[in-house]
């Protein structure tokens, strides 16, 4: 709490939870900065800066970003916002490993690129250090040994140099995250996974948390990348999280069954005069077992709506509809997901064996030499 900057009333109402063994206490709602990179739609830089300032003033204290988001734009815009905010008012996380839109240049988990990436991020963000430095989407690394023997030791160097405080890993498949945690000699402080603690998928709590007691778990995308949003503005509902009011994007990797079930649930909510997005944000942030949930937005109206859910809760009517949504729709798909579908498609398009030889020759030699 920074006197003279924070809203004392909002900070007092915001739930804060311990992030594993880091000693950090994070807000139940955290800010994903991907939207600042115009990832989902065109954005207004002035409004983006206002979103960051408002979020932190009202009690959000964790911000997550990456070089991948807008290919540097999100970090640049976030840096402009943070320049006006006291450093002790926020916890900052960024990532390494994912960069370029071209498939051949998209990922690089080598030591050299990791160290360079951190310096680039610090410059864009305008800070001397980040609190958490994370490996971005590690499931796309062709060999887990590269993450274990090269990427994470490089991040350890970053921490020792004072450019970061803690090390994290991120990705979608929980099995890949668990494997790295079990194999790494470098202490991993945090794990970030998305779409695994939401109305349609609770595997983060069911399958992951019981074996990750000391690790700080960060949940992301309570709307399941648009699955849990209105299909248009039926029944005069407010345009809550309005950039997603038409459901998931066409490229969404979920199965047809998951998409159909979520669409039916959204339609049911609309028929009851309830926005499924509000239920989704409430569901993900209300569980005290989940330290924090990232929600990305570049619109002030969306931020205010998310804050309203977390600070004030939902109505009795909304809670009744939430119970029906879980019972009538979500229970049937909670064992379903789309793990490894994107990874398989990526390597099929790129040619894994050829790419291993071309891109990761030095890394493979280091792995072999270490054995």
């Amino acid at each position: 709490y920074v006197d003279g900057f924070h809203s004392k009333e909002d900070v007092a109402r915001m739930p804060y939870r311990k992030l594993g063994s880091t000693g950090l206490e994070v807000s139940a709602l955290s800010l994903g900065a991907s939207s600042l990179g115009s990832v989902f739609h065109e954005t207004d830089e002035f409004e983006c800066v206002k979103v960051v300032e408002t979020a932190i003033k009202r009690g959000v204290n964790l911000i997550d970003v990456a070089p991948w988001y807008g290919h540097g734009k999100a970090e640049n815009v976030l840096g402009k916002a943070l320049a006006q905010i006291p450093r002790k008012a926020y916890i900052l996380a960024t990532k390494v490993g994912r960069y370029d839109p071209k498939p051949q240049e998209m990922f690089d988990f080598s030591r050299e690129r990791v160290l360079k990436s951190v310096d680039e991020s610090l410059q864009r963000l305008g800070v001397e250090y980040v609190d958490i430095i994370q490996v971005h989407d590690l499931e796309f690394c062709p060999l887990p040994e590269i993450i274990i023997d090269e990427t994470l030791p490089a991040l350890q160097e970053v921490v020792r140099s004072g450019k970061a405080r803690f090390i994290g890993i991120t990705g979608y498949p929980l099995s890949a995250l668990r494997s790295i945690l079990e194999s790494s000699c470098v202490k991993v402080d945090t794990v970030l996974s998305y779409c695994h603690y939401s109305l349609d998928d609770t595997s983060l709590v069911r399958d992951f948390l019981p074996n990750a007691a000391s690790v700080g778990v960060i949940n992301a995308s309570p709307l399941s990348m648009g699955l849990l949003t209105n299909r248009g503005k039926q029944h005069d509902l407010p345009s809550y999280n309005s950039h997603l009011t038409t459901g998931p994007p066409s490229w969404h990797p979920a199965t047809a069954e998951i998409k159909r079930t979520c669409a039916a649930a959204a339609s049911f909510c609309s028929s009851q005069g309830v926005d499924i997005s509000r239920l989704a944000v409430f569901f993900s942030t209300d569980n005290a077992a989940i330290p924090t949930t990232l929600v990305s937005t570049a619109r002030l109206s969306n931020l205010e709506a998310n804050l309203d859910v977390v600070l004030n809760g939902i109505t009795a009517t909304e809670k009744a509809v939430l119970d029906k949504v879980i019972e009538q729709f979500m229970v049937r798909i909670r064992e379903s997901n789309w793990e490894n579908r994107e990874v398989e498609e990526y390597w099929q398009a790129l040619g894994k064996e050829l790419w291993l030889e071309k891109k990761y020759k030095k890394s493979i030699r280091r792995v072999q030499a270490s054995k």
Side-chain angles (χ1 to χ4, degrees), residues 238-250:
S239 55
Y240 181 83
N241 287 318
S242 53
H243 70 287
L244 291 172
T245 54
T246 55
S250 59

Side-chain angles (χ1 to χ4, degrees), residues 154-198:
L155 293 186
Q156 196 171 46
E157 291 181 50
V158 172
V159 170
R160 288 171 177 166
S161 72
K163 296 176 182 178
R165 298 172 63 195
F166 302 102
I167 294 172
I169 56 177
T170 81
Y172 178 69
L174 296 179
S175 56
L177 296 168
R178 189 182 299 110
S179 176
I180 296 298
L181 282 177
E182 293 171 352
S183 304
S184 177
C185 294
V186 174
K187 185 177 185 296
V188 176
D189 302 292
T190 65
V191 168
L192 187 160
S193 192
Y194 57 95
C195 300
H196 278 311
Y197 190 72
S198 52

Side-chain angles (χ1 to χ4, degrees), residues 191-259:
V191 168
L192 187 160
S193 192
Y194 57 95
C195 300
H196 278 311
Y197 190 72
S198 52
L199 283 173
D200 59 300
D201 184 340
T202 57
S203 55
L204 190 61
V205 168
R206 185 183 67 243
D207 302 331
F208 189 83
L209 277 183
N211 299 309
S214 64
V215 177
V217 174
I218 299 170
N219 179 44
S221 195
L223 305 183
S224 282
M225 300 194 301
L227 287 172
L228 304 172
T229 56
N230 289 325
R231 272 56 176 175
K233 300 177 183 178
Q234 304 104 319
H235 302 279
D236 298 320
L237 289 174
S239 55
Y240 181 83
N241 287 318
S242 53
H243 70 287
L244 291 172
T245 54
T246 55
S250 59
W251 49 260
H252 199 294
T255 65
E257 180 191 13
I258 294 174
K259 290 179 180 178

